Structure formats: C-alpha cells, structure tokens
C-alpha cells in the first residue's frame, strides 16, 4: 500500500473554526466586503481586482448574462419542462451549448487579440491610433489572405453597430483598464470596412473578451466567465419557465410540423 | 399549416439598435450601473434589488461560491482532465452534483422555513424572540416526532458553529432585510439543543437560504442561486486544474486501489 | 499521512496482458459472444441474462430508443447546433431531460408495481387472471381515493392503445419471463376503465418497466436503462442534425415569435 | 404572423395507431426482430446492418463499454453521491468526460484512417500487405516529420499489446467487413516500431474505430458510439455506487490530503 498523494490548491480550506478562501477568512474578511463578481475575478486571477477592474469585470458579465431566446435558453427551458425536479440539469443543459458557435466569441476574440499582442514590442503600451491601425490592417489582411474570419466582428441583428460596444469601451477607459487588447480591437473596428470590403462592426461579445483580456485574466478562461454570466440568465429563464412556461408550446410546434422524409441513398452510404 | 404560437418573456428582447433586458436598455441603463450579482437577483425577482438587498444577496453568493475539494469540484476537475477542450462540459459536470445532498441545503432550509412562515399570522412580523422560540420549539418537536431532519442544522466540520452564520445574520440585520425566515431560523438555532438533545448549530448554507427567502426570492429558485454561486468556484477550480492539475493523481490513486470483488448472490438477485 | 483506502468493484480490472469485465476475460470470452444489450443487462444484474431474458431486454430497449422530436431530442439538437465540437455535450443535454415527466414512466411503473408485488404472498406466482384482477382493483381504488395517478396508464397520442403494449407482452410470454409485474400490470389494464371511469390503456413505456422488473433488474435502475436506450436515439438525432439541421429553424421560429411582456406585480413579489 | 416551418426527419413518427421508426412499424417489424445494438447502427447509418456488420458493431460496443475506474466513471459516481435523485445527471456527468483525451481515441483513429483512405485509388480494396505497408510507412513518416502523434497507438497499461486488438480484427475478418481502414491500421501496427523507433502496438479503442469506419459509419459519429457504449458502463457503475459506494471514500481521501498553497506571483499575473 502506498501513502496518499497530496492535492495542492490555492482556493479554499477549512478548519473546525474557520473557512479560508484565497488565503482570507471568509467570514471575517470577505462576506459583505467583496461582491460576487469581484470574488469570481479573484478566484481565477488569484488576486483581488482593483475597484476599476471590478467595475469593468461586472459590466462585461452583465453584458453577457442574457440574450433572450437563444438556443441555449431554449434547451434549458425544454430540459426543465421534461425534468422539473432537477434545476441543476436544466442549467447544465443550457451551459452545454456554450461552445464554439454561440458563447465562444468572447473567448475567441480574447485569444485572437492576445496572440497578436503577445508578439508586439514593449513600447506598444504607449502607442496611439496610427500605430494600432497599422497592426490592425496587417492582422485583417492576413486573415483575409488565409480565408479566416476575424472573431468579434459583425452581428446578425445589430448590423449597424452593437449598442454595448461603445459603452464597454467607455467604462474601461474611465476605469483606467483600457490596454493593448482593446486598443487593437478598436483599431480593427476602424479599419475592417476598408480591408474586408463590407461593414462588420465590433460586436459586444468580442469587446467583452478584449476588455477582460486587458484585465490580465487568462484568455483560456474567458469562456468560463461567459458561462458564469450566462448561468444568471439561465436561472432567470428557468424561473420564467416555472411560472409561465413556453416549453410545451415549443415542443408542440416542432412535433406538429415534423415531416417524415425517407433516408436518401447518400445518407445511408455516407461515410463509406 | 398553423400560424406560429407566441412565446412571452419578461427577460430580454433586441432590435437592430437596442438590446433590452428586463425592460431596460442594456447599454444605456444597465452596463456600469448594476453589479452582476444585482442583475442575477433582478432576473429572477423581476425587480431591481435595493442597495441593502443587493448587499445581502452578494454576501450569500460569496458564502456559497466554494468549499474546496467537494465531490462536485472533483467531478469538474476530472471532467476537465478527460475533455480539456470543453470547459462548458466540466462546469456542467460540476453543477450536476448540485442536488439534494450537497448543494441542496440552501433550498431545503428556505423551503422548510417558508412553509412554516406562510402559516403564521400577519402580526408575526412584529414578534420578538419569545414568540419565535415558541414557533421553533413546535417545529422542532414535530420534526423529532416524525423522525425528519430539520434542514440547515449541523455541519460535519464546523461542529461548534459555522463561522459564516453570525456574519450573514449581522449583514442582513444592518441591511434591514432580516425578516421572518431568519428570525425563525435563529430561534431554531437557540432551541435545537434543548429539543433534539444534541448540539447542531445553524450552518452557513441554511442561513444563506433563510436570508435569501427574507429577500422575497422564490424558495423554488434558491438552488438556482446556489448553483450560480458555485459556478464561480468551479471556474476557479478548472483554472487551477489547467495550471496545476490534481485530476491525474486522483485518478491514479483510485485506479491503483481498485479491488475486484466477485458479485455476491445478493447483488445478482437484488431486485427480484 | 494515511494509507490509501481501497475501492471495491465487481465490474472491471485489467493487467498488462488481460482486461477483465465482470469476472470474464473481455477478449477471450466476451467479444463476439455477447451482444451489447446483453452486456448492459449483465453490468447491472451482475449475471449474464438467459437467451429469453436477453430477448426481452433488447426488445424493451428498442421500444424506448426514440420517440421523434421529444423535448429531449430538441434540446440535444439545439445544443449540437450551438456547440458542434462537443458531441458529448449534446448527448448529455438530451439525457438531462430524462427525469420525472418524459422518461420516468418506465421507472415509475416498475417501482409502483414492485411495491405492490413485494407485499404479495409467495403463491402469487401461480395466480390466474381472477386473482390478479382483485389485486389490480384494490390498487386502482387506492390510487383513486388518494388522488394519485397510476403510472404507465394512458398516452397523449395512442388513445386507443399503445401498439407496443401487446407485442412486449407477447415477447415476454414467449421468452418465459412474464412474471408478477406484468401479470399485475395487465390486470390493471383490464380493470382500469371500470374503476377510473375513463379508458387509459397501458402505455408502452409502462409495459417496458413491468417487463424489466420481471427480469429481476433493480427497479431503482430502470430509468438508467431508459436513458441508455434514449442515448441511441440521441446519437441518431445528432447525426441528422449534422447532415440536415433543424436547430436553426427552431431557434429562428422561437426568436421571431418572442413577445416582451412586462413583469406583473405578482411575479415581482412572488415568494414574499 | 408567419406560417410554421417544417422539420424534416427520417427517424420516427407516430399516428394514433402506429409508431414508425426509420420507416418501419416499431411494434410489428422491429420489437423482437432487431437487437438494441443493431438499432443503434440503423439510427445513424439509416440502413439495417447485415448480420456480419451487426456482429462487428456489437463487439466494438462491448469492447468500449467499460474500463474500470476511469476519470469519467469516478465523476459519475461522485455526482451520484452528491445528487442521488437524478440518475440522468450522474450519467451526463460521466459522458461529459468523453472528449479528446479519454474517449476520443476511437473517433480520432477512424478520422485519421479515413482521411488517408479517401485519397487512395479504387484498386486499394484489392491490395495485399505489401501495398498497405507502403502507405503505412508514408503515413508514419509524415506524422513523425510533423511531430504529430498517430492516434490509436500504444496503451498506458497494455504495453506489449492490447488483448482486444487481435480479437476485433478476427471478428471483422470472419464477418467479411474487414476493409481499407482496418487493413491500413494493421499495416501501421506492423511498421510503427521500425519508423517510430519504439514499440506502440495498436490499442483496442483505435482498432474499434477502424472496424466501425469499415462498416461505412460516418467517422464524425464514432465518438457518439463510444459514448453509447460507455453509457452502459456508467449505468453499471452507478448501480454499484448505489449498493456499495466508493464516492464518500474518494471524497474523504482528496479532502484530507488537500494542501493550501499560496498563489504564486506567476499565477496571479498569468495571462497579462
């Protein structure tokens, strides 16, 4: 028999008399002194946000919390309708749609910008619009040549501009957290029409990703923050579904318009 | 063919130029003016919390966000280790353990107290400790007679008292939100040892449930708030697992200590 | 430091040269000699099914595998649409609706019948229709008096009788596995109209639960088998969604028919 | 208001009197005449498997159903321990680990082989070992030059050869379904040591992927079949956890060996 391994963590521990979180006494230091949003930042960054950072972080979470009847909200509502005893299952079902297509823009934009920013010289922090425009044009042209989409551009509904975009930039500027990721993303916003030949304004999910990356949060975790924000929206949707359900009508509408189509030869041979 | 049904919601809508949430303009009214915690309250209560309510709500979320290596945190870490590309899957796996045994105390306590409070006369809002003690003793004796556990009592580690308990009560009192649920729960805390014959102090998860119920939040959704709080903790655990994994060591420890035991007759006939 | 605990299991172990499952050599004994359905039975019952038991078990799984555009299939398709990289997430989202309302009938019926059967005398195994009718009438009258629904009765579409019902009963009879659960359920089917005053024929999910309970499988795991069966259906739905998606049209239909309704006072005070 | 869209499907439909699946009457044609494994194949391939195909498919599912205390099985058990009322949540948590690292080998191997096979001339179906060896050496050298791992090679435990490998190949050969994917994979098995310089025998999950690809199943869905197989194993684990739990001991072992480590500067700045 072997001795048990040890499991290191910097998050939480407790003794008979104390609960410690991130090296602080939960009861004495944290409760009432830190907002939930600030704690969420702290749990990942492993340092307390400054008031300005906290303000930007909360604003981005608020901007991502809900977008109405998205596929993920519908999936959560249908799951609640099928299994009302298990709210955790309905929330989990909603979060599981948080992948590349719908909830991934925040992370994708943060990662994309971070890759470029990481290769810039130290003096980039002092650059003005002209220098950033040059970097943006290079990045846009590279993406165009490779046939790759630049994440965070365009929105299916807000075709003339996402109303969240200027507000998040303003909050970050006021809070003093506007850094290279937002500077580059704004430059991309200025230059995209010229390079790409159609107008694809910066969307709010992308700006949120840029703003979070400027806070020094790891870009690998940006999807995690988007999922946290969306959890609040899902709890709201599930509560509505409890009081005033739409799941049964959605199900009935789909079921009544189902049309049986015999499998084609192509389908049954597909993969051969 | 039928006309499409309508799907009512009071959460969010958007047009080409605006995004509306809870009847407010997200960009103009909400971003920067409401914390993420306040928005989470609002999404369910369908009204903005007062500053005092917001303070209590945030404190309870903070108190529920993490408890170290719980089974749910371990499940999330093992899932991340198995499928690192899908952070949403790891968070979902962690939330799925948020059922009756571990994360249910907040909801169970809120529901339990609410059932009793709903049957009290209107003047209960003016009662002092003596009146609440009478109600508490009745409730405890009923539970004892029926062999039912009173939710929110006792803690496997904090046997002499959960350090979060007095702090949450103090914050609710200062914020002016302390109402019948907390009053009853505190009375249960005073009388439990006498009636039940052993010391089972009020635990923090139960106090959190009582404090949320006093905010007028529907007790059916308290588990949802506990899950939201826990999501922040899970994002923190997954980030640690990314940087400094323990999943492989946990897996190896379990695998190396697996012992094959032939099925007993009882097992193979069980259910007949 | 403590020594590591041991973790007993009767399922699987492996060495450098062998993989053992349920005490048998996977490569030498099981592959090619047992169907997947038989193995699924074996993994829970901890004994190999007889050929007759295997036939009944496979038939019940086939009967439960798919029911078209159920809420769970829609949730899985919407999740795949949102996060196409993570098939496991789409399957998980579909399974999470497998709770009390839609997928629970099999388990509920098995549990309900098992509770009654467990209280019958040993000679019940030799009873004829008349004796079973008496037990069924008692059970139906008790449920009626208590205002409880008898699980497994009625179907929203197959109002004159579920076409699967007589076939499953015939297969169980031919296989020699028809026992007290099916006998009692058939008697309930004969007597329900007389006692309840309306025609609620035995549905297929309920008959499946009765047939599985007669195989000696633990009634606590019947939902697990229903979920296993449904997994095959979900894999089929996700493959269709990949080739010929309906998720985008469902999302668009819901989104375009969303109607903003201001929260009522009742909603915003609900829970107080 | 718009007319409702239509939702095509080739899976299932039902009327008052019939349930139709894949264009067949469930009650009259399928129940008792098709195994669950055959139906799972049919639901994706949209054609009934031949007896030989069915035999290979069932054998591969059996080979993938369980591997003891994997991280996914542990996650499912811990979730069941935390939320025993929701079996669907425990199964879902287990499946969510079915991503790239543990359950992805079957899919990855099938995709890898399919990419190469798709580029071969028509006469490849008649090739002998020598021709396949040439293709295999080319593929292995390309992977080596690019620093890419060839999926399906090597196993952490079965270092001298996975016992399932020769059995699955034999079953496919006997059933007459051995085609280009298996032929290529066997050639890779023969040539890998020479090209890569160390012995990495074909593992069973990879051989399963090759065998399924030879059945004409779409390689994009191979992970789906691996997840279906694993669902049976998870149901078995959850049943064991119900009767003879290990979750509490795993939790206690991890919790008792948790060590608080203050966050390093690197961690708290990581991402900047």
């Amino acid at each position: 028999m072997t001795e048990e391994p040890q499991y290191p963590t910097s998050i939480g521990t407790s003794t008979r008399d104390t609960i410690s979180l991130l090296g602080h006494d939960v009861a004495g230091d944290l409760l009432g002194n830190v907002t939930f949003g600030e704690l969420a930042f702290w749990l990942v960054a492993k340092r307390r946000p400054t008031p300005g950072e906290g303000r930007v972080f909360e604003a981005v979470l608020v901007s991502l919390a809900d977008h109405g009847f998205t596929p993920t909200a519908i999936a959560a509502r249908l799951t609640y309708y099928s299994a009302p005893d298990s709210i955790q299952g309905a929330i989990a079902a909603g979060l599981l749609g948080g992948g590349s297509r719908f909830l991934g823009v925040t992370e994708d934009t943060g990662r994309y910008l971070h890759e470029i920013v990481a290769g810039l010289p130290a003096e980039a922090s002092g650059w003005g619009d002209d220098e950033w425009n040059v970097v943006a044009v290079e990045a846009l042209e590279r993406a165009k040549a490779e046939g790759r989409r630049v994440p965070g551009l365009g929105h299916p509904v807000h075709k003339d501009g996402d109303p969240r975009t200027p507000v998040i930039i303003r909050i970050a500027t006021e809070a003093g957290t506007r850094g290279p990721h937002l500077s580059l993303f704004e430059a991309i916003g200025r230059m995209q029409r010229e390079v790409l030949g159609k107008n694809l304004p910066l969307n709010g999910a992308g700006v949120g990703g840029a703003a979070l990356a400027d806070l020094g949060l790891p870009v690998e975790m940006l999807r995690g923050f988007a999922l946290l924000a969306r959890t609040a929206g899902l709890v709201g949707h599930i509560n509505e579904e409890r009081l005033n359900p739409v799941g049964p009508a959605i199900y009935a509408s789909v079921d009544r318009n189902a049309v049986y189509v015999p499998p084609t030869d192509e389908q049954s041979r597909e993969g051969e």
Side-chain angles (χ1 to χ4, degrees), chain A residues 92-127:
Chain A
L95 292 180
L96 287 170
S100 48
R101 196 168 295 164
F102 273 88
L103 221 58
V105 177
T106 302
E107 176 183 12
D108 293 346
T109 307
R111 281 181 186 264
Y112 172 78
L113 298 170
H114 196 64
E115 240 170 69
I116 300 173
V117 164
L120 297 178
E123 65 263 28
S125 59
W127 280 354

Side-chain angles (χ1 to χ4, degrees), chain A residues 4 25 56 63 103 126 134 136 149 162 171 177 182 196 205 213 234 255:
Chain A
E4 296 189 275
D25 181 36
V56 173
S63 78
L103 221 58
V134 173
R149 294 185 56 232
D162 188 318
I171 292 171
T177 73
L182 265 177
L196 303 179
L234 291 172
D255 191 48

Side-chain angles (χ1 to χ4, degrees), chain A residues 54-146:
Chain A
R55 193 154 174 264
V56 173
F57 186 73
E58 304 251 18
V60 174
L61 290 194
V62 167
S63 78
L64 296 171
D66 193 75
H67 291 87
F69 285 125
T70 53
T72 59
I74 302 170
R77 282 172 175 259
L78 288 169
T79 304
Y80 178 79
Y81 167 45
S82 300
D85 300 337
S86 169
I87 281 184
Q88 70 270 26
I91 295 177
L95 292 180
L96 287 170
S100 48
R101 196 168 295 164
F102 273 88
L103 221 58
V105 177
T106 302
E107 176 183 12
D108 293 346
T109 307
R111 281 181 186 264
Y112 172 78
L113 298 170
H114 196 64
E115 240 170 69
I116 300 173
V117 164
L120 297 178
E123 65 263 28
S125 59
W127 280 354
D129 285 0
D130 289 351
E131 286 95 337
W132 286 114
N133 287 353
V134 173
V135 180
V137 168
E138 270 178 23
L140 286 160
E141 283 179 342
R142 203 176 325 125
K144 196 184 175 184
E146 295 170 0

